[in-house]
Amino acid sequence: MTDTTSIDRVHRLQKEAAANKAEAGVLADTFDDSTGASWLWAFLFGPIYFAVHGFWGRALIVFLLNFLIIGFFVAPFLAYPAWRGRAEKKAEKMLMVDSVRRG
């Protein structure tokens, strides 16, 4: 009997986790601060663009890749995922705050 209840509980928790992840993905769109020209600014300013916006890891990577000349071409592809990741983290924090307030 305990095996069935624990299995049911695991399935319920898995469904809740999937629902929370989906809700965070939808909410992340409202927190996405990137512009349509983020790739252009990343291409033009490289590591400075990432540093100004607080993406220190990406700034360092692009700075190091600039010594190989490929940093200029890689930077535009790193811009949007950086903004998307930040938006998802904000959304997850908001959902966590909401669940703490409810519960």
Side-chain angles (χ1 to χ4, degrees):
M1 274 193 141
T2 59
D3 290 337
T4 351
T5 57
S6 65
I7 291 173
D8 290 339
R9 186 175 181 201
V10 168
H11 287 298
R12 182 181 54 81
L13 290 174
Q14 287 174 339
K15 287 179 182 178
E16 284 180 18
N20 285 342
K21 188 172 182 176
E23 190 176 8
V26 170
L27 188 60
D29 291 336
T30 62
F31 291 113
D32 192 358
D33 294 331
S34 68
T35 64
S38 294
W39 66 270
L40 177 64
W41 299 120
F43 176 74
L44 293 175
F45 297 107
I48 296 170
Y49 171 81
F50 292 109
V52 165
H53 293 291
F55 301 118
W56 294 105
R58 292 174 194 264
L60 180 63
I61 289 170
V62 172
F63 178 74
L64 294 174
L65 289 176
N66 279 347
F67 288 114
L68 302 173
I69 311 298
I70 62 172
F72 299 105
F73 303 107
V74 172
F77 296 104
L78 295 177
Y80 184 73
W83 286 109
R84 184 67 183 174
R86 179 179 282 176
E88 287 175 358
K89 286 180 185 177
K90 285 181 181 179
E92 288 173 3
K93 286 180 185 178
M94 290 300 293
L95 289 174
M96 187 178 298
V97 166
D98 184 52
S99 67
V100 168
R101 285 183 179 165
R102 274 190 280 147

